[in-house]
């Protein structure tokens, strides 16, 4: 059984002070939640302070991006070993904002994934179609390309430990989330391809989470879809109560 995985993607929001205050507030609220994996991805300046504030708790920490080289003349970039050194255990790779605004491609996603895995970080790799692609009925073809090229060269063991976030680009920050049917179809397709290309064991262990306008009032419907293993939450993760509510509502029914 895959434990539900709920990650907060804070994007470029929150100062160090605000990030640490959030963690100090939510930490006691979630201390008894052992049936959901909770991860926070703050801006880079707050990664280490959030690691410290979350120390010895059940809250994991992610960076939102990284570069694939170990070190070098790459002004403005940080490497996977540098992120690892902060104590963060996860890194988001290939978010659609990185693809759309900063020129990332399946090829760069693949290089970053390989470097993250070599540094023993757990990647949260984002895939998903744009509105144009959905309207042209290319969704499944786009997902196939993103999986094939993005995950190229990874082993079954890598896939087993990976978090794949299906985030339809048209649903991110728009208040318009995929219907359970649309999400269900995409997630089943992704799981099927992972099974076909990396084997059943890897596909069964890999977390495939949903992202795009997830809120407290839609998480239960989304989390109850068979192949949805949790969520990557942007806007609604910035508020402590809202994020806590999302975590609570994604718990396996028996435990709530
Ligand atoms: P959103 O963002 O929840 O604000 O739509 C999700 C994401 O970008 O990961």
């Amino acid at each position: 059984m895959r434990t539900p995985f709920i990650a907060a993607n804070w994007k470029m929001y929150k100062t160090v002070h605000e990030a640490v205050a959030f963690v100090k507030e939510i930490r006691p609220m979630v201390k008894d939640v052992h049936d959901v994996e909770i991860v926070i991805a703050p801006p880079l300046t707050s990664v280490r302070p959030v690691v410290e504030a979350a120390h010895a708790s059940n809250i994991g920490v992610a960076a939102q991006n990284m570069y694939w080289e170990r070190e070098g003349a790459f002004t403005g970039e940080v490497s996977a070993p540098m992120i690892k050194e902060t104590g963060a255990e996860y890194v988001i790779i290939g978010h659609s904002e990185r693809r759309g605004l900063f020129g990332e491609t399946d090829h760069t996603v693949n290089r970053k994934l390989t470097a993250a895995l070599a540094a023993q970080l757990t990647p949260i790799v984002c895939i998903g179609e744009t509105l144009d692609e959905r309207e042209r009925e290319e969704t499944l073809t786009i997902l196939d390309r993103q999986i094939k090229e993005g995950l190229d060269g990874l082993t079954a063991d890598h896939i087993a430990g990976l978090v794949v976030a299906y985030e339809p680009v048209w649903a991110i920050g728009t208040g318009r989330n995929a219907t359970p049917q649309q999400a269900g179809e995409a997630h089943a397709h992704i799981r099927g391809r992972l099974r076909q290309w990396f084997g059943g064991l890897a596909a069964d262990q890999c977390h495939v989470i949903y992202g795009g306008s997830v809120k407290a009032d839609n998480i239960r419907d989304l989390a109850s879809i068979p192949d949805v293993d949790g969520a990557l939450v942007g806007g609604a993760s910035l508020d402590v109560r809202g994020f806590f509510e999302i975590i609570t509502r994604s718990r396996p029914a028996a435990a709530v």
Side-chain angles (χ1 to χ4, degrees), residues 58-70:
N58 52 343
I59 301 170
V61 183
Q64 297 176 12
N65 182 32
M66 51 160 274
Y67 193 58
W68 57 78
E69 295 288 353
R70 253 192 103 72

Side-chain angles (χ1 to χ4, degrees), residues 88-143:
E89 293 166 292
Y90 303 85
V91 60
I92 299 175
I93 293 178
H95 188 278
S96 67
E97 286 150 18
R98 303 276 340 153
R99 293 177 191 252
L101 300 171
F102 301 101
E104 297 201 8
T105 62
D106 295 323
H107 176 69
T108 63
V109 165
N110 184 252
R111 295 197 73 171
K112 290 184 179 198
L113 265 177
T114 307
L117 290 163
Q120 292 181 336
L121 289 165
T122 297
I124 302 170
V125 59
C126 304
I127 59 176
E129 80 288 359
T130 62
L131 186 57
D132 272 2
E133 290 161 347
R134 176 161 284 273
E135 284 172 349
R136 289 199 301 262
E137 297 185 6
E138 290 171 3
T139 299
L140 303 184
T141 315
I142 295 295
L143 294 178

Side-chain angles (χ1 to χ4, degrees), residues 7-11 13 92 95-97 126 165 167-177 210-215 231-238 246:
N9 174 13
W10 284 351
K11 311 192 179 188
Y13 291 99
I92 299 175
H95 188 278
S96 67
E97 286 150 18
C126 304
E167 299 204 299
V169 180
W170 48 272
I172 294 177
T174 57
R176 187 180 159 196
N177 61 306
Y210 172 82
S213 299
V214 172
K215 299 183 220 57
L232 182 56
V233 190
S237 73
L238 294 168
I246 290 171

